[in-house]
Amino acid sequence: MKEENQTSTKPFFILGFGGRQELQILLFICFLLIYLVTLIGNLLIVTIVCSNTHLHRPMYFFLTNLSCIDIICPTIVFPKMLVSFFLGGTYVSHSKCLLQMYGFNGVVSTELNILVVMALDRYVAICNPLLYLRIMNKNLCVSLAAGAWLVGLLDAIPHTVLISKLSFCGSHTINHFFCDATALLRLSCTSTQSIETLTYVLGPIVAIVPCGLIAASYMSIISSILKIQSTEGRQKAFSTCVSHLTVVISYYGSLCFTYMRPASAYSEYNNKYMSLSYIAVTPLCNPIIYSLKNTEFKKAMRKSMNIDKMLNLKYVCLIFYGQNS
């Protein structure tokens, strides 16, 4: 029993991506740039929404929550991963590995919930526009956002508790770039049946139910849009949903492709690289998607960053130098 406790608390070695030193340096630069751009892009959304009073509406309130998640998620993973590029891997204690796994799973679950809340907001805005401000009042918005965070963070607890009770008496090398739950389970020398059962029970609630709610919302939204008489009205209604729908498809698609595959098709190597799609790519692309597709947000961004003044100054300078050349 004493030996089992010692092996269960032995530090894990996170293998990372491996490869030659030249490749490690290149990967470090690439992922550092991705991380910095992700932080800047999402912080920019939060700053612009907070500093522009006309954006203090439910749609943008939920967008700031999504941006906060897209800041937290890579921050849980990237710092340790960046260090591993110089060390050829990195050690992490048993407790810190569990903490990272809990934080990551909790944030992923929270993002799924926030996407549902955003779909609900678009449903009310398009299907019940006259009652929108009355229904989506400040108290309800705060409650929905707080509920999404609370449910997401609570959802990650059972898996973390059960995994903490496993014994790892063999290899402690995690073939991943962070403490992924699936990779950890493959190292366990004790039965993981209870965790697999819990996954089968909670899986539909955590993933399929939110996906179903989003699908039902958009079926109603599309039905309402098709009833709009004017082409301009239909385009305007659809434009308010296209950004969110793009994010939903990319996020759910990457998660499903990574985790909802048959066991026979599982590969630690492929799983490690496919995880980048929702850890690195999605948080990086979300600010771009919302800033490019949302005209109102683009105007607020131009105003906040004084882009119009900068362009006017550049235009004046070109005229001045043109006349004196």
Side-chain angles (χ1 to χ4, degrees), residues 1 23-25 27 31 50 92-93 100 125 137 147 162 171 183 191 195 216 236 248:
M1 185 71 178
L23 179 61
Q24 295 292 299
I25 296 174
L27 288 174
F31 284 118
C50 291
V92 60
S93 67
Q100 185 188 52
N137 56 66
L162 290 176
S171 172
S191 175
I195 300 174
K236 184 177 180 180
V248 167

Side-chain angles (χ1 to χ4, degrees), residues 69-308:
I69 293 171
D70 287 339
I71 291 171
I72 296 171
C73 183
T75 300
I76 291 173
V77 175
F78 270 59
K80 198 77 174 176
M81 182 182 71
L82 291 172
V83 172
S84 71
F85 287 122
F86 290 101
L87 302 178
T90 181
Y91 284 95
V92 60
S93 67
H94 185 268
S95 59
K96 288 182 179 179
C97 186
L98 291 174
L99 182 61
Q100 185 188 52
M101 183 188 66
Y102 166 75
F104 176 77
N105 290 342
V107 169
V108 169
S109 181
T110 301
E111 180 151 359
L112 295 175
N113 297 333
I114 286 293
L115 291 175
V116 174
V117 172
M118 294 176 77
L120 174 64
D121 173 65
R122 293 299 84 205
Y123 165 78
V124 177
I126 293 174
C127 299
N128 296 282
L130 298 178
L131 299 176
Y132 176 69
L133 293 178
R134 183 180 299 180
I135 296 174
M136 300 301 294
N137 56 66
K138 182 178 179 180
N139 291 335
L140 180 62
C141 291
V142 172
S143 298
L144 288 172
W149 282 90
L150 181 62
V151 171
L153 295 177
L154 288 176
D155 170 65
I157 292 177
H159 283 86
T160 306
V161 171
L162 290 176
I163 291 177
S164 69
K165 296 180 182 299
L166 296 177
S167 295
F168 303 93
C169 48
S171 172
H172 278 63
T173 299
I174 301 175
N175 189 10
H176 215 293
F177 54 87
F178 74 105
C179 290
D180 177 64
T182 305
L184 273 173
L185 290 177
R186 296 180 71 84
L187 298 180
S188 175
C189 57
T190 52
S191 175
T192 59
Q193 185 64 44
S194 59
I195 300 174
E196 292 173 2
T197 303
L198 180 66
T199 301
Y200 284 124
V201 173
L202 291 182
I205 300 174
V206 175
I208 298 176
V209 171
C211 186
L213 291 173
I214 293 173
S217 297
Y218 272 100
M219 286 176 65
S220 299
I221 288 170
I222 292 171
S223 178
S224 298
I225 290 176
L226 293 176
K227 294 177 182 178
I228 298 174
Q229 299 295 327
S230 66
T231 304
E232 183 181 352
R234 285 197 297 269
Q235 290 178 344
K236 184 177 180 180
F238 183 74
S239 66
T240 63
C241 302
V242 67
S243 298
H244 175 257
L245 191 57
T246 303
V247 171
V248 167
I249 293 172
S250 63
Y251 195 70
Y252 270 92
S254 59
L255 282 176
C256 290
F257 194 67
T258 303
Y259 293 108
M260 293 187 178
R261 289 175 295 152
S264 58
Y266 180 84
S267 166
E268 289 184 339
Y269 180 84
N270 293 334
N271 190 63
K272 177 164 58 175
Y273 284 92
M274 285 188 293
S275 298
L276 291 171
S277 59
Y278 59 88
I279 296 175
V281 178
T282 302
L284 174 67
C285 293
N286 284 354
I288 300 172
I289 292 171
Y290 277 99
S291 62
L292 290 179
K293 296 292 184 179
N294 192 304
T295 304
E296 187 177 30
F297 185 82
K298 284 193 289 186
K299 289 180 180 178
M301 183 170 64
R302 292 171 69 91
K303 179 182 177 182
S304 298
M305 300 179 67
N306 292 322
I307 292 177
D308 291 328

